[in-house]
Every structure is written in C-alpha cells, then in structure tokens.
C-alpha cells in the first residue's frame, strides 16, 4: 500500500516572491505583484511527489500595505484551514518587509499545534539567483514534516527555520536578512531534509491566551520613536489620538527623555497604556531600578522590538488594560 502524501495548504499574500520584474537582472525597483500561489508552487519541480499541495490567494499586496484587519483575517483563515484533519500544515507566502510582524501575530493567535511557516523572497523569483523557489520549497517541506508540530509559527528563509517570537529583518537587501539576535534559530532545511536543534519555551499558538476568533478589529496602538533632541509633540499627538496604547521606542534599555516621561506621567485623565521598548535590535528591556516603571506607569518591553511590542500590546489589551496584567504578559511571552 502506498503511503498518503502530507497535505500542505499555501496561502499567498503578495510581496517580492510574487513579483515579476521586467528583466532577469532587475533585482530592485520592480513593483508588480503578478504571480499567484499556483504560479509559485509550479516553480518547484517534483514537489508533487513529496507533498499534496493546495493554494489560495488571500491578498495580493506589498506587505507594507497590510492592515490590522488583514492580520485578523489571515489568522482566522489559517486557524480554520488547520482544523481540517487532512491538512498537515500551512505555508504563508509574504513580503519580507513586515513578515516578522505577521509571523509574531500568527504565533500569538493561531489555535493549533500544526506547523505554520512564513516565507518570501529578497529577490523576485525570475531574476538571477532568485531566492523565492528554494525558500518556498524548504517552507513546504518544513510544514509537511511532523517534527514541526508544536514548534510555533516560524519563518523559513535562506535555509533557516526561525522562531516568530525572535526573528527580525536585519538588512534591506541581503538574502540572509532574517536573523534572531537573541537566539531563536530553531533549525534548518538542507538537501530537502528538515533538522531541528532547539524548541521555543515561551507560550505560543495553541497555548496562547489570546483569542481573535470572531474579532473584527484590534485596539489602536501607536509607536513613538525617540532620539537625541526628541520633543514631546509626537507623544502628545498619540495621547490625544484616542489610542488604547503607546509603544515608546526608547534608546538603550528603553530609556526615555525626562520630558517625555513627565508628559506621560502627568497627562490628565484616563491615558493609554505605555510600553517601553528599545530601538536596539537585541537585548532586554527591564526595570533595573525596580521603581522607574511603577513611578511613570510604564510597562517594560522585555526585549520585544517596538513593532512586535505593538502587536503584543494590542492583543493584551483585548484582555485587560491593567498595568500588572500587561507587565505579566510582556515578561511571559
Ligand atoms: C514586501 O514586503 O512586500 C516587499 C519586499 C519583499 O517582499 O522583500
């Protein structure tokens, strides 16, 4: 009796992997999102002998155009697909610009132990040394592999399997752009074989407390960047915007200018929650003095980037805006 091949569902959203440049040397400046999920899988010779594939086109956009409502729709759709007992795993093809955000959001909201792997490309698939076809093949093989169950959402790029919690885009042009500065490279795919070396410890997917099934929108959270000479205008604009949360992209250990802290601390009436993250790509933001955050009413970002802090804060605010709860979420996840 022949063994049934694993079924992987590919959900396409656009990005460079789906673009068709005008010439094989046009590695930048292309804009058209032309290839569908079917076109992308057709570019992997022989994959149908290893995996049963189905595809769907949920969006066709550059990833910088994605909105919160799109993240909700994608998460709900991926959870729905994974409920099918015939489906082994899902691959999401995605632009690289915001891939780490979508991966992290899915990691916190998809209710399944089954693999969800995001992939994309730094170069269009049809240019010289296009990285898309191999990235997609590796992602499909990882999603079909039983070892990937329970590993949380991952990004598969440049042969690496990277945990959604930790992965970030670190270069605007290199194919080895996705990295985990603080650990989180869980394994790799080599010669069509999936190898894992580490597993994530923080809660994710089936063990996350966040439930977005049936949710139509997320709480508004704004990011305010700080720097030498930073005034309080952007902070005031955020405070006046009616948002439920603010992520301050601080310097070093999430340090914020004194005037910035004073403006937030003394803002009259009910104010949005504030997470203190850092512009620095690695490390950890903790309240080392033991009282600075309590005095200011801020929440230490615990090492999440400003963009990931925003998503975590949005999800946490669907549960509670209590500061102790928010501090607990940032230290647990
Ligand atoms: C995008 O993020 O949609 C464009 C850039 C890319 O996919 O590399």
């Amino acid at each position: 009796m022949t063994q049934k091949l694993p079924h992987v569902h590919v959900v396409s959203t656009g990005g460079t992997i789906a673009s068709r440049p005008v010439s094989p040397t046009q590695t930048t400046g292309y804009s058209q999102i032309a290839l569908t999920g079917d076109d992308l899988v057709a570019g992997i010779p022989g994959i149908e002998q290893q995996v049963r594939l189905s595809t769907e086109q949920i969006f066709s956009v550059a990833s910088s155009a994605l909105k919160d409502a799109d993240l909700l729709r994608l998460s709900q759709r991926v959870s729905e697909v994974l409920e099918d007992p015939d489906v082994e795993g899902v691959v999401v093809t995605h632009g690289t610009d915001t891939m780490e955000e979508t991966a992290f959001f899915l990691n916190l909201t998809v209710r399944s132990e089954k693999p969800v792997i995001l992939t994309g490309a730094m170069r269009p698939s049809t240019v010289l040394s296009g990285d898309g076809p191999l990235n997609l093949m590796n992602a499909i093989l990882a999603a079909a592999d039983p070892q990937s169950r329970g590993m949380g959402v991952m990004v598969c790029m440049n042969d690496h399997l990277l945990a959604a919690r930790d992965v970030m885009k670190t270069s605007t042009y290199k194919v080895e752009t996705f990295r985990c500065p603080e650990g989180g490279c869980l394994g790799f795919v080599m010669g069509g074989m999936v190898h894992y070396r580490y597993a994530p410890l923080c809660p994710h997917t089936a063990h996350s407390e966040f439930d977005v099934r049936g949710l139509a929108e997320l709480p508004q959270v704004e990011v305010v960047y700080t720097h030498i000479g930073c005034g309080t205008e952007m902070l005031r604009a955020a405070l006046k915007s009616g948002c439920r949360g603010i992520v301050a992209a601080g310097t070093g250990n999430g340090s914020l200018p004194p005037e910035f802290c004073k403006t937030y601390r003394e803002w009259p009436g009910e104010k949005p929650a504030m997470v203190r993250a850092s512009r620095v790509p690695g490390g950890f933001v903790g309240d080392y003095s033991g009282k600075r955050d309590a005095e200011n009413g801020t929440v230490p970002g615990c090492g999440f980037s400003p963009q990931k802090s925003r998503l975590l804060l949005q999800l946490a605010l669907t549960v509670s805006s209590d500061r102790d709860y928010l501090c607990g979420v940032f230290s647990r996840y």
Side-chain angles (χ1 to χ4, degrees), residues 37 82 91 124 141 154 166 173 209 272 274 295 304 310 324 328:
L82 292 175
V91 168
L141 295 176
M154 288 174 277
D166 301 286
Y173 72 93
E209 69 207 72
M274 183 186 282
E295 277 167 11
F304 291 107
R310 175 178 173 273
D324 288 341

Side-chain angles (χ1 to χ4, degrees), residues 221-222 224 235 238-239 243-248 264 272-275 313:
V221 172
E222 300 295 337
V224 181
L235 172 62
L239 285 163
C243 66
R244 300 262 320 276
I246 295 172
V247 174
Y264 178 69
M274 183 186 282
V275 169
L313 181 55

